[in-house]
Amino acid sequence: MPTRGEGGPAPFRFCVATGGARSVEQWRELARKVEGSGYDLLTMTDHIHQPMAPFTALAMAAAATTTLRLGTYVLCQDLRNPVIMAKEFATLDLLSGGRAEIGLGAGWRQSDYTQTGIPFGTRPERFERFVEYVEVVCALLAGGPVSYEGRHVSVADVTNLPAPAKPIPLLIGGSRRRLIELAARRADTVSIAPSRRPDGRRSTYWDTEIDDRVRWARAAAAGRPAQPEIDLAIHECRVVADPAATIAEFSATFGVREDQIAEIPSLLVGTPEQVTEALLARRERWGASRVTIPDTAIDAMAPVVARLAGT
């Protein structure tokens, strides 16, 4: 996993986040397009309303590709028992020839809980569960029998099979301080996301807020051999020849001035040259070397990926 070290910033990794496709043909085509366009990783979100479930779809994507890495962005802890989740990931890693990456989150979309009848609970309760969940998942994927008795999670003498041949990279995503600090201590990648309301509506964040969050992450990871990779969640990515209309649209949608759009890291808009410079500036300022975009921007971002991937 690339990390910032003495030799300079970590190389860029470009990733695509998707909820799946409407048919098997479309899904295979999407996976092959992501691989053929130079992206490093195809990830799946995890919501009840999306077209496909993550693990089955990712296994098929593995069969349709050869080098593309495959992961989640991010799994909701409460939709799967941690033992089952660890087993699914270990199986995906085996079937893909070691190309799996884990993305975990504490859960935020209330409709996922309402539709499945799972109690939503308070934010502190979800965080407490998540701390135990991460502990158990990491222990299971490390091998050996695992027994754990926590307030929320209980595991009795489980050995996870198949055993991964090497550690599976872990991403933890979130926006709150305690979650970011947990990610910095335990994960290979810290994904910093804008806060979301329970109804799923986004709140924007500003570049100065990322300064704070990256500082929290760096401090929490201070005792680790290497600093974790930083990913800034990008919810709107528009790479266009003339971005004026898009900037005006975002200004109206988010209720900010047009000249403030560039200060919102969850938005990425501009010409290929402008987006390239913006990503270089983000890496310089925050060490943000992983770039995860929505599947709607695969083609438009291809020139940027060709220029920056691996550099």
Side-chain angles (χ1 to χ4, degrees):
M1 176 65 61
T3 54
R4 178 183 291 270
E6 295 181 359
F12 281 109
R13 291 206 305 154
F14 286 89
C15 314
V16 173
T18 181
R22 297 292 179 179
S23 71
V24 62
E25 293 81 8
Q26 290 176 356
W27 179 241
R28 288 195 184 108
E29 180 182 351
L30 177 64
R32 289 168 179 153
K33 173 187 279 191
V34 172
E35 182 175 62
S37 300
Y39 291 88
D40 183 78
L41 175 67
L42 174 64
T43 67
M44 289 199 67
T45 53
D46 187 31
H47 301 295
I48 300 303
H49 72 272
Q50 68 188 41
M52 290 181 169
F55 288 112
T56 306
L58 289 171
M60 175 167 281
T65 58
T66 56
T67 61
L68 185 67
R69 299 189 64 80
L70 305 150
T72 52
Y73 195 74
V74 293
L75 289 183
C76 173
Q77 61 164 335
D78 292 313
L79 297 184
R80 292 166 196 82
N81 175 280
V83 175
I84 303 304
M85 199 285 295
K87 193 172 187 71
E88 292 276 15
F89 259 114
T91 302
L92 175 64
D93 195 58
L94 175 68
L95 296 178
S96 66
R99 290 187 278 147
E101 297 196 16
I102 304 170
L104 297 178
W108 60 269
R109 193 181 188 99
Q110 191 164 2
S111 63
D112 290 329
Y113 291 78
T114 302
Q115 290 176 306
T116 56
I118 298 171
F120 189 49
T122 64
R123 184 179 291 116
E125 289 170 344
R126 295 197 303 278
F127 176 76
E128 289 176 6
R129 289 199 303 271
F130 190 61
V131 170
E132 296 184 6
Y133 194 96
V134 170
E135 185 74 23
V136 169
V137 168
C138 288
L140 287 167
L141 291 173
V146 176
S147 293
Y148 183 91
E149 188 65 41
R151 181 180 176 186
H152 304 281
V153 178
S154 178
V155 175
D157 194 27
V158 177
T159 298
N160 192 50
L161 294 174
K166 59 183 179 180
I168 303 175
L170 170 64
L171 172 148
I172 293 176
S175 61
R176 305 280 173 170
R177 181 166 187 166
R178 290 198 299 170
L179 194 54
I180 288 171
E181 290 176 337
L182 172 66
R185 291 192 299 269
R186 299 304 305 267
D188 300 283
T189 302
V190 178
S191 182
I192 301 174
S195 300
R196 283 188 182 256
R197 304 168 187 171
D199 63 4
R201 294 174 61 193
R202 288 190 300 275
S203 300
T204 58
Y205 56 14
W206 298 95
D207 52 5
T208 52
E209 295 177 86
I210 301 302
D211 291 336
D212 293 335
R213 284 157 174 77
V214 170
R215 185 173 64 252
W216 301 339
R218 298 304 184 202
R224 299 183 63 178
Q227 285 281 328
E229 182 183 51
I230 298 293
D231 171 272
L232 302 182
I234 297 171
H235 293 295
E236 293 285 354
C237 180
R238 309 278 184 89
V239 185
V240 293
D242 182 0
T246 303
I247 291 172
E249 174 194 337
F250 286 167
S251 173
T253 299
F254 293 98
V256 300
R257 299 191 314 269
E258 291 188 9
D259 63 341
Q260 292 179 305
I261 294 300
E263 301 173 25
I264 304 177
S266 58
L267 309 179
L268 189 60
V269 57
T271 65
E273 294 75 18
Q274 289 170 334
V275 168
T276 296
E277 291 304 314
L279 292 176
L280 288 168
R282 293 179 183 191
R283 186 174 65 174
E284 177 64 26
R285 181 171 178 176
W286 299 306
S289 58
R290 170 168 156 160
V291 182
T292 305
I293 65 162
D295 59 7
T296 52
I298 294 171
D299 292 330
M301 271 290 287
V304 180
V305 173
R307 177 172 177 178
L308 292 181
T311 65

